[in-house]
Amino acid sequence: MNIDKYPELKPGKKYIKRYYVAIMLWIVGRAIQAACRLDKEVIKEFSELPEKFTFSLGVLPDGPFMIIGKDDKGRAKYMGWNKGRTRFPLEMNIKSLEAAIKVFTFQEGTATAFARERFIVDGDLGYALAVVRVLNIIEVYLLPKIITKLAVKRYPRWSEFSPLRKWVNRILIYIRAFTF
Amino acid sequence: MILPKYSEFCGRVKTLSGASALEAIPGELKKMNSKKALIITDKGVESAGLIKIVKEAISKKGSKLTVGAIYDETPPDSDYKVVNSVASIYRNKNCDSIIAVGGGSVLDTAKGVNILVSLGGDNVLAYSGAGAVKQRLKPLVAVPTTAGTGSEMTLVAVIADHDRHIKMTFVSYFLLPDIAVLDPRMTKTLPASITAFTGMDAMTHAIEAYFCLGKNPMSDTTAFKAIQLVSKNILNAVKNPGDMESRLAMANAAALAGIAFSNSMVGLVHNLGHATGAVCHVPHGVCMSIYLPYGMEYNLHKVGDLIGELLYPLAGPEIFAKTPKKQRPRATIDYVRGLNEELKKATGGRHATALKDILDREGKQMVPRDAIPVIAKNAMGDGAKTYNPEEQSFDDNIMVIEAAWEGKPLDLKKIKKGPKNQKF
Ligand SMILES: [Fe+2]
């Protein structure tokens, strides 16, 4: 029997969408690293995670991914995109590239995406929630209000997110996320 | 009706419901090739005589099922060490299935035991978190003895690590029991006040499922029916505990609500309820009945229309038709408050409607005023918040808990409101 007559089906390549999501993941990863040196809340969230904690955020079945770990000082460190076969204590994956596009074009906020079960979480749910809270803060920093408003339940008021803190940190996060 | 762009639903528990449902267990287990069951339960259930009823029902003539062992020392707060030792009983006695008879803690323990005996190992904590259990487990029969938690229909187990003072969550579709048995004999002896607050827990599951972010047509259907059944039967079950029809209706309601919320998730009411339970050790259902009207008020500006729809299953078609559409959301909330008041009367005041009025067995206040900030802080780390339509900050939590402590309705003007166009 010629086994090659029955080819294995692999998911299509979808280059543009993959590149888009890969770039977004890179930006978010670098921004988390930057915010963990500037934003009180992000610093606090990370300080409460266990030592040497690492998590990956990515898209199934085969990427792209982004890996964040805690460095010796307990701060977030962007650790690249190559997940290989490593298993992390927390892995949060979006089920498909199509769903990832919805999330990263901000048509779906994180809460809605969770409610629609777009994410598969492998690992401790408490840690997953901490990561979600960090992602929500990052969203406010990275995106203009008009877009963030679509993705969050309620845009933080000035009192919750002081303008000074927002603008100063926003500029610094931009600079640090995009410079090597 | 809301049809989300994408949703998921899974409710695959075979349900046996009726006055002699227990007797059908051996036949069901036989189909799954099981001959020897381990019964897991607690002292309360045992001393109420329920295990005797179960044993008699499953060893009637023709039954090939034997009971390998009965473990009746499940603590009120499931513990991983207990899970580990019950798993070794299962192995020593060569059992091949589990029958869990009890409330939430017993069910959680049984789910944990099932993980260990099916997948191997001697510490259940190795499987904690989401996604660690990836294959079918041994046959598990759930026999709930309260009509409330709905855990016979859920994919979650919460097991505490009392040394580290943390609760570990286990999530997998393989944790769903194979069979749920809803037999009114199991809830007949439940005291009035417990019937009242566990019933309101089921009501909360259904109502929150109807307006929280994971809602979909299938969870809506189960939620709707659950609300109808609770609303029609809860007072009668409290006043006439021996009324088997009301008991069966409540058991069905709790199971339906369990299906609804495990697919649509819950929000603020459970979020603050979990925190209040954790900080002040108040029974879950008590927190639920108190916070429920506040959960609706808090989300009114986002999902008022959905809350208005609930007047139909709560109050029936006449009242629904007579109430103008605009007034229905408010009428729904008032109806729930009214029901709580009636339950308070029917239980001789034991069904508290404000946090400040919750008393323990010695008559001592359980939620002191200065616990409010601690509860608000604790709630920030609880997952149910994710699925609540409106955002919840620490200050928001304080505002809601303070109102619930006094038992005064929320001042709607004080709620910080996000945009109305709620996406599901
Ligand atoms: Fe509940």
Side-chain angles (χ1 to χ4, degrees), chain A residues 44 95 106-108 111-112 114-118 121-125 129 133 149-150 153-154 157 160, chain B residues 6 8 129-131 171 213-214 298 302 380 383 385-391 396 416 418-419 423-424:
Chain A
K44 196 170 149 276
K95 282 181 189 167
F106 311 100
Q107 296 172 53
E108 258 176 37
T112 313
F114 261 87
R116 290 183 184 168
E117 309 206 31
R118 304 285 200 194
V121 177
D122 252 302
D124 188 288
L125 288 173
L129 282 168
R133 286 193 296 270
K149 258 178 129 174
L150 300 175
K153 293 176 189 173
R154 179 177 78 199
R157 294 213 172 169
E160 290 166 67
Chain B
Y6 180 83
E8 292 189 2
V171 188
L213 297 185
Y298 189 76
K302 286 218 170 188
M380 294 301 287
K385 186 174 166 277
T386 316
Y387 302 96
N388 192 63
E390 184 55 278
E391 191 57 74
D396 299 328
K416 285 181 244 159
K423 264 204 260 176
F424 288 96

Side-chain angles (χ1 to χ4, degrees), chain B residues 5 12 14 21 23 26 46 55 73 82 105 118 123 150 163 173 176 192 225 246 252 257 297 371 387 411 422:
Chain B
K5 285 205 179 115
R12 58 172 174 228
K14 178 161 184 183
E23 276 80 353
E46 154 68 34
K55 269 197 311 198
E73 283 167 58
V82 170
S105 170
S118 307
N123 191 352
D163 305 332
Y173 278 107
L176 281 171
K225 204 71 209 172
S246 289
N252 272 268
E297 281 173 330
Y387 302 96
D411 181 351
Q422 183 59 57

Side-chain angles (χ1 to χ4, degrees), chain A:
Chain A
M1 188 179 75
N2 180 8
I3 200 86
D4 292 333
K5 267 171 73 184
Y6 307 98
E8 194 181 337
L9 285 184
K10 288 217 168 114
K13 290 279 189 262
K14 307 172 196 162
Y15 283 116
I16 295 177
K17 285 182 180 172
R18 283 179 71 108
Y19 281 131
Y20 176 78
V21 174
I23 292 167
M24 292 306 283
L25 280 171
W26 178 81
I27 296 174
V28 170
R30 302 273 310 183
I32 292 178
Q33 175 176 308
C36 200
R37 283 150 179 78
L38 294 163
D39 183 273
K40 276 196 310 239
E41 256 172 82
V42 178
I43 293 170
K44 196 170 149 276
E45 291 288 359
F46 267 87
S47 72
E48 282 167 9
L49 290 168
E51 248 178 77
K52 301 237 156 71
F53 177 80
T54 348
F55 76 91
S56 72
L57 177 67
V59 184
L60 293 178
D62 48 8
F65 296 100
M66 154 199 110
I67 301 143
I68 296 270
K70 255 178 102 163
D71 66 10
D72 301 338
K73 288 184 188 136
R75 297 178 307 194
K77 187 164 184 267
Y78 175 68
M79 295 171 53
W81 52 270
N82 193 353
K83 190 168 165 289
R85 287 168 168 257
T86 335
R87 303 277 299 157
F88 297 107
L90 174 69
E91 299 191 357
M92 290 168 63
N93 290 310
I94 303 177
K95 282 181 189 167
S96 68
L97 194 56
E98 305 309 319
I101 285 288
K102 291 241 155 57
V103 173
F104 286 108
T105 52
F106 311 100
Q107 296 172 53
E108 258 176 37
T110 10
T112 313
F114 261 87
R116 290 183 184 168
E117 309 206 31
R118 304 285 200 194
F119 284 87
I120 297 180
V121 177
D122 252 302
D124 188 288
L125 288 173
Y127 302 155
L129 282 168
V131 171
V132 170
R133 286 193 296 270
V134 169
L135 288 174
N136 283 337
I137 298 170
I138 297 294
E139 220 157 56
V140 175
Y141 280 128
L142 283 185
L143 302 171
K145 183 172 177 180
I146 191 157
I147 295 176
T148 312
K149 258 178 129 174
L150 300 175
V152 298
K153 293 176 189 173
R154 179 177 78 199
Y155 197 78
R157 294 213 172 169
W158 293 133
S159 57
E160 290 166 67
F161 230 61
S162 82
L164 185 71
R165 175 181 154 207
K166 195 172 92 187
W167 283 104
V168 172
N169 285 357
R170 178 179 268 186
I171 292 162
L172 288 172
I173 287 169
Y174 272 132
I175 294 170
R176 293 195 192 175
F178 291 105
T179 48
F180 291 87

Side-chain angles (χ1 to χ4, degrees), chain B residues 148-150 198 200-202 204-205 208 261 266 270 274 284-285 288:
Chain B
T149 66
T198 51
M200 287 309 281
D201 183 24
T204 307
H205 294 154
E208 286 210 290
F261 92 89
V266 284
H270 271 79
H274 291 154
H284 177 71
M288 292 301 102

Side-chain angles (χ1 to χ4, degrees), chain B residues 243-316:
Chain B
D243 184 316
M244 298 299 253
E245 219 178 289
S246 289
R247 291 295 192 184
L248 186 61
M250 288 302 291
N252 272 268
L256 282 164
I259 300 174
F261 92 89
S262 83
N263 283 283
S264 166
M265 307 307 283
V266 284
L268 174 136
V269 183
H270 271 79
N271 176 257
L272 297 184
H274 291 154
T276 310
V279 176
C280 304
H281 310 286
V282 181
H284 177 71
V286 175
C287 303
M288 292 301 102
S289 45
I290 293 174
Y291 283 123
L292 179 57
Y294 297 94
M296 292 191 271
E297 281 173 330
Y298 189 76
N299 292 296
L300 203 56
H301 60 283
K302 286 218 170 188
V303 290
D305 291 350
L306 295 174
I307 291 169
E309 286 173 18
L310 295 180
L311 189 62
Y312 184 94
L314 273 172

